[in-house]
Amino acid sequence: MSTAKRTPPRRPVRLSRRGLLTKQKMAVLAAGGAQGEAVWAELVRTMDEAYAELAQYEAALEEKNAELAESREFTLSVLASMSDVVAVCDNEGRVQEANRALGHLLGRKPRDLQGTPIMELFADEESQRRAHCLVAKGRPGIVQDCEVSLRARDGTPVPVTLNCTPRYSRAGKVLGLVVVGRPVGELRRTYRELAQAHAELKRTQTQLLQSEKLASLGRLVAGVAHELNNPISFVLGNVHVLEKYLKRVRAYLDALHTGAPEKKLAALRAELKIDHVMADLDSLLAGTVEGAERTRQIVDGLKRFAAPGREPEEAVDLTEVLRRAAHWVERGTGTKMRVEFDLPGELRAWGSASQLQQVAVNIVQNAVDATASAASPRLRVSGRVERGTVRVTFHDNGPGVPAEHLARVFDPFFTTKSVGKGTGLGLSISYGIAERHGGRLAAANHPDGGAVFTLTLPTGAAAGARPRKAASA
């Protein structure tokens, strides 16, 4: 009989199976002699083989038991390390395993929870009613975010959100369920912290936007002051003329009221040029009103441009906004840059006039800086309506944007200007304003040289047809 190693049998080997003690061999053993000794030797050798196989089977069994113990220890260590509460239940809803977090929450040891119906762990009838689907027979399924209350160790209810999934055997039979829960207080605290961080981020964004507005206003103040000086001087000159005219009219009226002779009144009328005064009053008053209205418009524009907070969205004439922005930058910087406009008489977009003006001011100011070293600095501003979208391009004749910087021109605080020449926020804020208006701001280099900034916005008609949230300042 061969003595080579074989796979350990499923059950211990019995001598009767091997046919070792047949009647014939028993007779040989009883007769003794040389044949009997050979039978005994064969019997001993076979017994040794059986014991060796039994030893192999026992070693394999011990190895499997060690693997099972290691797997169970790993599973229990994972359960113990989880911060969420975990309970493994059978089909009747009785707890088979519970982790340390659940025991700590309930004030009981995890092993003491074994065999406890999970329904007894809930703090009130409402929670039991909501969680009844967890142990309902014949209804295996996934339960997500079921908010219930567990009874804490001090008796107070602790709100938790439960998630439940069925547990299956290899044959697909439902063995029970796994319940995982997280205290809602922790979730609410996390949500509250996220909300606070979001609010702080919005406040910081608003402050950055306002700071950039004031920085732009500071750069433009000289030009704006000159812009205000013209209508104010015009109004002031008209007021002085009106003051002189008032003296003449008052002198003539005094003579008229004292009953001066007709001849003397006629001479006085001619001397004081009353007819000329009366003819000139309409134009003087109209000019004064026009100058005052122009001053009001400039001041109103400044207030809207610099004011913090939100401004209602409306249909804005971009043609007017773009021309005013370029005019302010030109006056404020004293640049020699020639701005060429290719704009329709009216170009309607939907949004905040002051914010869109800030975008235009930032882009024009950027073009002024980019063309500072050009012999004949030039900026071409073009605008069209294409397929329900307003498209405005700003093309300067500067050196363009270096290829390695194109992907970063809209990053906050990124600037290629020297220290003190820029904050690195202008284009970034302009990009954000364009996005909040449902549009886009893009940068590229023109094939003929120079940088091209393209601003796309919804048209006033298209955007006005549907309500949108006001753009955040």
Side-chain angles (χ1 to χ4, degrees), residues 174-198:
V174 178
L175 300 177
L177 60 151
V178 179
V179 181
V180 180
R182 173 170 295 183
V184 178
E186 180 181 348
L187 290 175
R188 288 174 178 168
R189 183 172 61 254
T190 302
Y191 291 150
R192 185 167 57 252
E193 292 174 354
L194 285 174
Q196 291 175 351
H198 180 65

Side-chain angles (χ1 to χ4, degrees), residues 17 49 127 217 239 272 285 300 311 352 378 385 419 430:
R17 287 186 60 198
E49 291 178 0
S127 296
L217 188 60
V239 169
L272 297 177
L285 290 174
D300 185 60
E311 182 185 17
S352 163
R378 185 180 67 257
V385 176
V419 177
S430 300

Side-chain angles (χ1 to χ4, degrees), residues 1-210:
M1 182 177 292
S2 172
T3 59
K5 292 185 179 180
R6 294 176 297 175
T7 303
R10 287 180 173 271
R11 290 183 290 274
V13 178
R14 293 191 298 271
L15 296 179
S16 60
R17 287 186 60 198
R18 292 181 176 270
L20 299 178
L21 296 179
T22 62
K23 291 182 179 180
Q24 182 180 2
K25 290 184 178 181
M26 290 179 66
V28 173
L29 287 174
Q35 290 183 349
E37 291 180 359
V39 171
W40 276 111
E42 182 181 357
L43 179 62
V44 171
R45 185 170 55 253
T46 305
M47 291 290 292
D48 288 342
E49 291 178 0
Y51 282 124
E53 291 177 356
L54 287 173
Q56 292 179 7
Y57 178 81
E58 182 180 5
L61 187 61
E62 290 178 353
E63 183 179 353
K64 294 295 183 183
N65 287 336
E67 291 178 358
L68 287 174
E70 183 179 356
S71 176
R72 176 177 174 79
E73 182 179 354
F74 174 78
T75 303
L76 292 177
S77 67
V78 171
L79 288 175
S81 301
M82 292 181 66
S83 60
D84 292 348
V85 298
V86 180
V88 181
C89 303
D90 59 17
N91 278 328
E92 302 298 326
R94 291 186 296 267
V95 178
Q96 293 178 309
E97 293 286 350
N99 71 339
R100 188 180 303 167
L102 179 59
H104 178 74
L105 178 65
L106 301 178
R108 300 167 62 179
K109 295 182 179 180
R111 64 173 177 269
D112 295 339
L113 294 173
Q114 295 178 357
T116 304
I118 192 171
M119 300 300 291
E120 295 182 3
L121 305 182
F122 299 109
D124 48 50
E125 294 182 358
E126 178 63 21
S127 296
Q128 292 178 354
R129 185 189 65 79
R130 291 183 180 181
H132 182 69
C133 59
L134 301 180
V135 294
K137 294 183 179 180
R139 294 177 57 189
I142 297 176
V143 177
Q144 293 183 339
D145 298 333
C146 177
E147 188 168 335
V148 296
S149 295
L150 297 179
R151 185 180 295 106
R153 49 187 166 184
D154 58 358
T156 59
V158 178
V160 297
T161 55
L162 293 184
N163 295 279
C164 171
T165 53
R167 187 166 57 94
Y168 297 96
S169 66
R170 289 185 177 180
K173 181 181 178 181
V174 178
L175 300 177
L177 60 151
V178 179
V179 181
V180 180
R182 173 170 295 183
V184 178
E186 180 181 348
L187 290 175
R188 288 174 178 168
R189 183 172 61 254
T190 302
Y191 291 150
R192 185 167 57 252
E193 292 174 354
L194 285 174
Q196 291 175 351
H198 180 65
E200 183 64 27
L201 183 61
K202 289 182 67 177
R203 283 195 297 270
T204 303
Q205 181 188 34
T206 302
Q207 291 172 357
L208 287 175
L209 179 62
Q210 187 62 19

Side-chain angles (χ1 to χ4, degrees), residues 164 230 372 389 432:
C164 171
N230 288 338
T389 300

